[in-house]
Amino acid sequence: EFGRSDDPVILLRDVNAIRQKLPSSRLFPNVGAAALIKLYEPTDKQQWQAVICLTWPMPRGFTSDEEYLYRGISQTASAVVSSYLMHQQALANVERLREVDRLKTEFLYSMSHELRTPLVGIITGADIILHGVAGDITPQVRDNTQVILDSGQHLLNLINEILDLAKIEAGSVELTLEELDIQALISETVETVRPTAYEKKLALRIQL
């Protein structure tokens, strides 16, 4: 009722007029004139965030220079309020990201340890079969068991790498450089996918 809702400055030249419209209001009991400088939310120009109130004891008019000054104050103060609110939101986002990162690390540790237990059993069982502890085996069973062993060790390495990733994020990992037999790596990789190729009736050969 006292100016446009989108106007950043409201000039009340005679507060007595407001008292007549709102006789029960305790607004400005000893004020004759006031300048209300509104500060806005950064995302909604229709909501008041705060108000700077300049008052005078007697009703009075306002010059164009004064209105220009008050609008400048409104723009500057609104920018400060917006900057502060965005800073607070950024801090809240950082805390949420830290919590998400903590939950992710806990999940990686939990899942890695849960997977390692049955996987070690698979690797141990395959190794026992290959060494003939349970009796003699045919060449084909030996080859298939070797694939099981190699695949299990490959999966175990992946799980260990997941744990290493958590260490990297924590800044506690130490790197050890060593030579790599590329032929052995390729052969191991091919043998891992050979069963899939066999199921699809695909020939798989290595040429090094």
Side-chain angles (χ1 to χ4, degrees):
E1 296 182 12
F2 312 131
R4 300 197 318 273
S5 60
D6 60 342
D7 196 336
V9 177
I10 297 177
L11 302 177
L12 304 178
R13 296 173 175 80
D14 190 349
V15 179
N16 290 320
I18 300 177
R19 294 195 183 98
Q20 294 174 3
K21 292 182 179 181
L22 303 173
S24 60
S25 174
R26 301 175 60 185
L27 179 67
F28 311 134
N30 300 313
V31 173
L36 304 182
I37 303 173
K38 297 188 288 184
L39 313 184
Y40 294 106
E41 293 267 15
T43 57
D44 189 347
K45 296 299 184 180
Q46 301 301 319
Q47 296 296 322
W48 290 26
Q49 176 68 24
V51 175
I52 297 175
C53 181
L54 307 178
T55 64
W56 291 266
M58 299 295 293
R60 54 159 293 185
F62 297 95
T63 66
S64 59
D65 288 342
E66 287 177 321
E67 184 173 352
Y68 178 82
L69 173 63
Y70 300 151
R71 290 182 182 276
I73 294 174
S74 176
Q75 293 174 356
T76 302
S78 293
V80 173
V81 172
S82 298
S83 177
Y84 172 77
L85 292 177
M86 287 187 288
H87 176 68
Q88 293 298 106
Q89 184 64 43
L91 292 178
N93 291 339
V94 168
E95 289 301 319
R96 284 195 293 269
L97 290 175
R98 287 176 178 171
E99 179 64 14
V100 170
D101 187 65
R102 183 187 66 80
L103 293 175
K104 181 201 69 176
T105 301
E106 290 182 357
F107 172 78
L108 290 178
Y109 270 113
S110 175
M111 289 302 300
S112 298
H113 288 295
E114 290 292 332
L115 290 173
R116 282 166 65 99
T117 301
L119 186 57
V120 170
I122 294 173
I123 294 174
T124 302
D127 191 52
I128 290 175
I129 294 174
L130 286 175
H131 284 82
V133 176
D136 294 335
I137 57 176
T138 64
Q140 182 164 355
V141 171
R142 178 177 297 278
D143 291 342
N144 292 337
T145 305
Q146 185 65 51
V147 171
I148 294 174
L149 179 62
D150 292 341
S151 299
Q153 290 175 337
H154 177 67
L155 183 55
L156 183 61
N157 289 334
L158 291 178
I159 293 174
N160 290 332
E161 288 175 358
I162 291 175
L163 294 175
D164 288 340
L165 179 61
K167 292 181 180 179
I168 290 174
E169 293 180 347
S172 60
V173 69
E174 294 182 2
L175 299 180
T176 302
L177 301 180
E178 59 183 18
E179 292 185 356
L180 175 66
D181 185 346
I182 191 66
Q183 292 189 1
L185 176 63
I186 294 175
S187 299
E188 176 185 345
T189 304
V190 170
E191 292 304 319
T192 301
V193 299
R194 189 178 294 280
T196 304
Y198 176 79
E199 291 178 357
K200 296 181 179 295
K201 298 180 180 181
L202 298 175
L204 185 59
R205 301 184 181 90
I206 306 175
Q207 183 176 356
L208 299 173

